[in-house]
Amino acid sequence: VLAPGVGTGPWRPVVVSLARPADRPGHVLLRGDRTGGSLAWGLEQYLIPEAQGDVIEQAMAAAREASRPIQVEAKVGPDGTAKLEALWIDGRAY
């Protein structure tokens, strides 16, 4: 379950559960799958246009090296399934 961030900040997880949690007004259910000791949210892969590949990879590497966040913008369906819409690095959408 994700809760809204402060202002326009990113949403944050507030509940992780093996069973579907109860609905919470103003929150979003994000469905994940457990594989071994990790969770997959359906946001792990993003199709990068070939012409932008090198630019995006360099921006991601620079952000990781400087410990700056890489954020995603996603649409979440009623069943909790997420679809990645954009990748945000240093305030720029890709």
Side-chain angles (χ1 to χ4, degrees), residues 34-89:
R34 183 175 60 149
T35 306
S38 64
L39 295 171
W41 303 104
L43 302 171
E44 294 77 20
Q45 295 181 350
Y46 182 56
L47 180 61
I48 296 174
E50 189 173 333
Q52 291 184 301
D54 289 340
V55 172
I56 294 171
E57 287 180 17
Q58 290 172 4
M60 288 178 69
R64 281 193 300 262
E65 187 172 315
S67 297
R68 293 189 308 268
I70 297 170
Q71 299 174 320
V72 298
E73 181 178 332
K75 287 186 179 179
V76 181
D79 66 348
T81 302
K83 178 183 176 196
L84 193 57
E85 293 289 314
L87 182 66
W88 287 83
I89 307 167

Side-chain angles (χ1 to χ4, degrees), residues 3-52:
V6 177
T8 59
W11 288 56
R12 57 187 169 71
V14 292
V15 173
V16 177
S17 174
L18 293 176
R20 182 185 173 105
D23 289 337
R24 293 176 174 219
H27 291 65
V28 172
L29 171 68
L30 182 61
R31 182 179 177 177
D33 292 311
R34 183 175 60 149
T35 306
S38 64
L39 295 171
W41 303 104
L43 302 171
E44 294 77 20
Q45 295 181 350
Y46 182 56
L47 180 61
I48 296 174
E50 189 173 333
Q52 291 184 301

